[in-house]
Amino acid sequence: EAGVAQSPRYKIIEKRQSVAFWCNPISGHATLYWYQQILGQGPKLLIQFQNNGVVDDSQLPKDRFSAERLKGVDSTLKIQPAKLEDSAVYLCASSLELAATDTQYFGPGTRLTVL
Amino acid sequence: QKEVEQNSGPLSVPEGAIASLNCTYSDRVSQSFFWYRQYSGKSPELIMSIYSNGDKEDGRFTAQLNKASQYVSLLIRDSQPSDSATYLCAVKGGEGNMLTFGGGTRLMVKP
């Protein structure tokens, strides 16, 4: 079974530029998550989707970050404009459903460097 | 705001010893508890999950949960150099069923 796919793996941009990340979850997984992991810290949830609906985006900086999952499968996360403090690894994860016992499986991540 | 606390380490143990990793959480309604391993430059990988009080064993790993004390731990027996990684404690449950991670403990197993 294929895992969670993400692209690109690495991205370097200058501050005030925009960037987009793509995620394809494990087939059949209804729930998709975007996390931000700053070096030396644990992952922080930005947004979670159940099918194509947003379940929680309370920690998403909505003035610059946006995410969508239009057909309930693939998702994109966009940053516009980027700031230096956005340098981090952006992890996508998926799980079967939203149940407390459902395991989240992580993709390889996209390492973003903002100069 | 749900909080999950871990000692950042590094925790250094000799090869063959038992490594003990600890985690405390603030939200009493938390229902599910996970330990993820993260090698440098890689994404988190689930190694253990535990949902009820007591111990759960899987090979060299034992997870321990004490909901009254809001405490969860991971024991790694016969530690190997390949166990050297950052171990992330994650807690789920309550409003939104969000998974909240601790900052991770870096484990170093010395040959």
Side-chain angles (χ1 to χ4, degrees):
Chain A
E1 180 183 81
V4 177
Q6 289 187 247
S7 68
R9 293 295 311 278
Y10 306 92
K11 191 74 177 179
I12 300 174
I13 61 173
E14 302 207 340
K15 60 183 179 183
R16 292 188 289 273
Q17 286 188 319
S18 62
V19 65
F21 312 127
W22 173 83
C23 173
N24 181 249
I26 293 172
S27 178
H29 280 195
T31 312
L32 184 147
Y33 313 80
W34 283 103
Y35 289 87
Q36 179 193 59
Q37 187 173 24
I38 293 171
L39 187 65
Q41 299 181 18
K44 182 183 88 169
L45 180 69
L46 294 175
I47 188 168
Q48 66 181 40
F49 294 92
Q50 177 76 357
N51 296 308
N52 60 351
V54 175
V55 174
D56 190 291
D57 63 356
S58 57
Q59 298 191 94
L60 188 73
K62 298 181 188 62
D63 58 334
R64 299 184 300 106
F65 286 64
S66 63
E68 60 183 13
R69 194 184 183 200
L70 290 176
K71 296 182 179 178
V73 181
D74 294 5
S75 176
T76 56
L77 175 70
K78 296 179 182 177
I79 308 175
Q80 181 180 10
K83 292 185 175 181
L84 296 176
E85 59 260 35
D86 297 332
S87 294
V89 175
Y90 291 84
L91 295 163
C92 179
S94 70
S95 64
L96 269 176
E97 294 291 342
L98 264 179
T101 55
D102 278 349
T103 298
Q104 292 187 23
Y105 298 91
F106 285 83
T110 297
R111 183 177 298 274
L112 174 67
T113 302
V114 182
L115 302 176
Chain B
Q1 180 80 5
K2 192 187 301 183
E3 292 183 355
V4 180
E5 300 287 340
Q6 294 181 257
N7 188 317
S8 62
L11 172 66
S12 183
V13 300
E15 184 175 356
I18 296 175
S20 177
L21 304 160
N22 305 314
C23 170
T24 59
Y25 59 95
S26 63
D27 191 346
R28 287 195 167 274
V29 301
S30 299
Q31 299 172 283
S32 306
F33 306 86
F34 305 86
W35 283 99
Y36 283 82
R37 177 175 62 200
Q38 188 172 29
Y39 292 113
S40 181
K42 302 294 185 183
S43 58
E45 170 195 16
L46 181 71
I47 51 172
M48 289 285 288
S49 58
I50 187 166
Y51 310 114
S52 54
N53 279 329
D55 295 0
K56 179 181 177 182
E57 189 174 315
D58 184 0
R60 296 187 296 113
F61 300 97
T62 299
Q64 299 174 317
L65 175 61
N66 183 327
K67 289 187 178 180
S69 300
Q70 295 176 240
Y71 177 90
V72 57
S73 65
L74 179 71
L75 300 177
I76 306 175
R77 287 181 300 281
D78 188 23
S79 295
Q80 301 297 309
S82 58
D83 294 326
S84 297
T86 295
Y87 289 79
L88 297 163
C89 173
V91 173
K92 193 175 184 185
E95 188 176 343
N97 232 356
M98 289 169 37
L99 188 66
T100 301
F101 283 86
T105 298
R106 189 157 75 94
L107 173 67
M108 297 171 56
V109 181
K110 304 210 167 183

